[in-house]
Amino acid sequence: MEAPFPLLVATKAPTILPAERRCHTWVSPVLFLGTVALGLQAPLCTQYLWDRLGAQLGYNGSAASGSAGCGNASGAGDLRQQELETLVSHWNLYINLAGFFVALFSVTVFGPWSDSVGRRPALILPAAGMALQAAIYLLVMYLRLHVGYFLLGRILCSLMGDYNLILASCFAYVADISDQRSRTFRIAILEACLGVAGMLASIIGGQWLKAQGYINPFWLVFAVSLAAALYAALCLQESVKESKPAKLFTLSHYMSVYRLYAAPGYQRSRQKLVLYSLTFFLIVTIHFGAKDIFVLYELSSPLCWGSDLIGYGSAASYLTYLSSLAGLRALQLCLEDTWVAELGLLSNVSGLVVISLASTTPLMFTGYGILFLSMAATPVIRAKLSKLVDEKDQGALFASVACVEGLCSLVATGVFNALYPASLHFMKGFPFLFGAIILLIPAALIG
């Protein structure tokens, strides 16, 4: 047992097992709905930027029409296409930067705060923020406002915690109601929920965009975000046993996160906490970075995918959550969690190498297929991190993990959106190959 508080775990576990059976599935709809909203919004936003900015540049390759990236018939050498790809990737960078710095402040406040007041408020606020962001995006589309207003929507959403706070609160909720033996698989179930929701959103978004354009799918983003907030407010049971009022804006929340990594005592556990956090950072950075440029990579030549194929490709990437859950459950019967994580990294490295060389649709989907176990490493690391801290610090822990994920998004966006246009002239798939090489570092750290 890796927890630094074995007596506390031993006395608490019998009292929380009934709650595990009763409450575990109840938090899943919040995560499911939030992920549907995000899974619809992210690729649609990139394609909308492609169309709006392409129209300003006089480029006639349309993401919605299915001829994206191939409209000027000059392939990868078309300078105007490369200019558009660079502009869209830079706008993605600006939007993610705007969200990260605000969310870094808000998540580290709301996460530890939820250790006192409960998880429900920390689920309601970010879901409402995502609904507000969708409403602003709709105004941009209806009124043809400048795409810079996307920054405003992202900042307001981040002030309320953004999607990372939903993730942190849901994982902390599961940690509240599960014992250490089942925690890895319970967390993997939540990650599989991410995959089901993302796959559904990707298929719906691609087909809907092709049929009716951008506005109606974004109304669905608004509706499911609002539904997640209402579900958390009206239906979800609280998992914190002794919730109590607490100040929101206080330095003690930041100190509770700091103490996890720097407080004296349990030095071995603190060292593991730092190493697992570094491993998590590298894995998730590559995951986010690859997903950031998948749509751009597929829009342009030689693949020249339309919105329907982009939807199927995004669904295939989300399917890895489900296949990784099944693989993790099967491999846990004969292997330690650490070896399961290593096999997951091997799957990730192999898939990215194939995608980096993909010049045809079948080869691209082959790369997606090889990624079938690529998401097995993250639930193992989340569970190991959770076991290293006290039960009363789960909110602070997963808030720090959410901040790490925000930093992952920032670094991934900066590196991959800069590396992608810079490598167009010598190897278009080089960012994926770069990611595969970086993943050898967490494989060594886990080993």
Side-chain angles (χ1 to χ4, degrees), residues 160-361:
M160 302 174 74
D162 207 355
Y163 178 74
N164 278 342
L165 183 59
I166 294 180
L167 276 179
S169 302
C170 286
F171 286 120
Y173 191 102
V174 169
D176 291 338
I177 61 174
S178 64
D179 62 6
Q180 292 201 16
R181 287 176 299 177
S182 64
R183 192 165 299 168
T184 299
F185 185 64
R186 296 294 185 184
I187 289 176
I189 289 176
L190 274 188
E191 293 214 355
C193 180
L194 301 178
V196 173
M199 181 171 56
L200 177 65
S202 299
I203 294 175
I204 292 175
Q207 295 294 338
W208 206 350
L209 169 62
K210 189 175 182 179
Q212 295 184 335
Y214 295 98
I215 290 179
N216 287 339
F218 265 95
W219 272 113
L220 181 60
V221 173
F222 174 78
V224 296
S225 301
L226 191 60
L230 292 174
Y231 181 90
L234 303 177
C235 304
L236 189 66
Q237 291 190 358
E238 184 55 67
S239 64
V240 175
K241 301 301 178 183
E242 299 177 359
S243 57
K244 56 186 182 294
K247 290 183 179 179
L248 177 58
F249 299 106
T250 172
L251 289 176
S252 64
H253 297 321
Y254 296 100
M255 292 303 299
S256 64
V257 175
Y258 171 78
R259 283 194 300 269
L260 290 176
Y261 295 90
Y266 304 107
Q267 183 177 0
R268 181 174 175 81
S269 296
R270 299 300 183 259
Q271 289 173 348
K272 287 185 177 181
L273 202 65
V274 172
L275 287 175
Y276 279 130
S277 297
L278 175 60
T279 301
F280 184 82
F281 168 78
L282 292 172
I283 294 172
V284 176
T285 296
I286 300 305
H287 175 67
F288 283 170
K291 287 186 76 68
D292 255 4
I293 60 173
F294 273 149
V295 174
L296 278 176
Y297 189 69
E298 294 159 354
L299 275 169
S300 54
S301 59
L303 292 175
C304 300
W305 283 8
S307 59
D308 51 349
L309 275 177
I310 288 173
Y312 292 137
S314 187
S317 69
Y318 278 111
L319 188 60
T320 58
Y321 287 91
L322 285 179
S323 57
S324 295
L325 172 65
L328 184 145
R329 188 58 168 173
L331 291 171
Q332 277 185 323
L333 299 176
C334 55
L335 294 174
E336 294 290 336
D337 284 355
T338 300
W339 286 108
V340 177
E342 293 282 22
L343 290 174
L345 288 171
L346 176 62
S347 170
N348 207 341
V349 169
S350 303
L352 288 176
V353 169
V354 171
I355 289 174
S356 72
L357 303 173
S359 57
T360 63
T361 295

Side-chain angles (χ1 to χ4, degrees), residues 49-61 80 84 87-88:
L49 288 171
W50 180 281
D51 277 353
R52 278 288 302 273
L53 298 174
Q56 293 175 16
L57 293 175
Y59 182 75
N60 61 353
R80 190 169 294 176
L84 176 57
L87 190 58
V88 172

Side-chain angles (χ1 to χ4, degrees), residues 89-169:
S89 65
H90 285 170
W91 269 107
N92 280 332
L93 173 61
Y94 304 150
I95 291 170
N96 280 294
L97 279 173
F100 168 74
F101 288 109
V102 178
L104 184 65
F105 161 78
S106 61
V107 173
T108 48
V109 169
F110 290 127
W113 182 64
S114 72
D115 285 327
S116 299
V117 303
R119 309 297 178 205
R120 291 173 63 233
L123 289 167
I124 296 168
L125 284 170
M130 291 181 71
L132 177 61
Q133 180 180 357
I136 292 174
Y137 281 22
L138 281 167
L139 284 176
V140 172
M141 294 174 190
Y142 273 115
L143 303 178
R144 302 287 291 180
L145 301 176
H146 191 274
V147 294
Y149 283 97
F150 280 1
L151 294 172
L152 174 64
R154 183 64 189 273
I155 289 172
L156 292 176
C157 180
S158 298
L159 277 172
M160 302 174 74
D162 207 355
Y163 178 74
N164 278 342
L165 183 59
I166 294 180
L167 276 179
S169 302

